[in-house]
Amino acid sequence: MRRKLVILLMIWLCFILQTSVFKMLDIITIAPNLLLIMTTSIAFMQGRKEGMTVGFVCGLFYDLTYGYLLGTHSIILVVIGYACGSFRNIFGDEDIKVPLLLVAAGEIFYNIVIYIFGFLLQGRTEFVSYFKTIILPETVWTVLITIVLYRLIYRINHRMVEKEKEGNQSLWIRD
């Protein structure tokens, strides 16, 4: 329970940073997607179910603040959380290369879906321009931030998991 509250606090902090601080510091009108980093990281460390839950909460925060259609970002991040959670048993979570690739793939998927529903369905078909000005720079910026943020999420998550394990073991060892 405590770990879930810490994860919720981390989601809230990432949301605040993404929607305020990084919007003011944006480079070339783009900002890193911290909520996607959070979803990808937790999904990769904890699995599909928790990845989907974190993705839903992250997407809901974003949808309630900026979404034109409630649930769009939630669904996208739930799919990303599920996909990234599938890699949990295949790779170890201590190496940062796989999470970087997952964040890059998730960011590209996220932006392509946003392009389809936000632009293509409205008749705006300038995908190459959108890719050059939005998708590519945002992906690079998000991956660079992931290098720092993933290590922090990793340490916090593993510390909380160890405390949960100690708490579960201590119930059986008591005299």
Side-chain angles (χ1 to χ4, degrees), residues 28 30 104-105 107-109 111-113 115 119 124-140:
I28 320 169
I30 55 114
E107 183 69 40
I108 291 169
F109 173 77
N111 280 308
I112 287 174
V113 173
Y115 170 78
F119 297 99
R124 301 187 333 204
T125 59
E126 307 88 20
F127 180 74
V128 174
S129 173
Y130 184 79
F131 186 81
K132 288 180 184 177
T133 59
I134 304 294
I135 295 176
L136 192 59
E138 189 173 312
T139 301
V140 170

Side-chain angles (χ1 to χ4, degrees), residues 44-169:
F44 185 63
M45 289 180 221
Q46 296 297 322
R48 292 178 184 158
K49 186 177 179 182
E50 195 150 340
M52 291 170 56
T53 304
V54 169
F56 179 76
V57 172
C58 288
L60 191 60
F61 276 13
Y62 198 84
D63 282 335
L64 290 174
T65 306
Y66 295 111
Y68 301 110
L69 182 61
L70 187 63
T72 306
H73 293 90
S74 297
I75 292 171
I76 297 169
L77 289 175
V78 163
V79 170
I80 291 171
Y82 180 84
C84 293
S86 300
F87 289 92
R88 177 178 181 233
N89 295 327
I90 300 171
F91 299 100
D93 60 356
E94 62 279 344
D95 190 16
I96 197 167
K97 288 177 253 161
V98 175
L100 287 175
L101 290 172
L102 291 174
V103 166
E107 183 69 40
I108 291 169
F109 173 77
Y110 179 87
N111 280 308
I112 287 174
V113 173
I114 294 297
Y115 170 78
I116 290 170
F117 288 110
F119 297 99
L120 188 62
L121 293 178
Q122 295 177 358
R124 301 187 333 204
T125 59
E126 307 88 20
F127 180 74
V128 174
S129 173
Y130 184 79
F131 186 81
K132 288 180 184 177
T133 59
I134 304 294
I135 295 176
L136 192 59
E138 189 173 312
T139 301
V140 170
W141 192 205
T142 301
V143 167
L144 289 174
I145 296 297
T146 302
I147 295 170
V148 176
L149 192 58
Y150 181 78
R151 290 288 179 205
L152 180 64
I153 295 169
Y154 175 81
R155 286 188 184 124
I156 292 170
N157 183 58
H158 278 281
R159 186 170 294 141
M160 298 306 292
V161 167
E162 289 300 319
K163 285 185 180 184
E164 276 185 357
K165 286 180 182 177
E166 289 173 7
N168 289 339
Q169 290 175 353

Side-chain angles (χ1 to χ4, degrees), residues 10-20 35 61-62 65:
M10 290 187 329
I11 291 170
W12 182 74
L13 287 172
C14 285
F15 174 74
I16 296 297
L17 287 173
Q18 179 176 331
T19 57
S20 61
L35 297 175
F61 276 13
Y62 198 84
T65 306

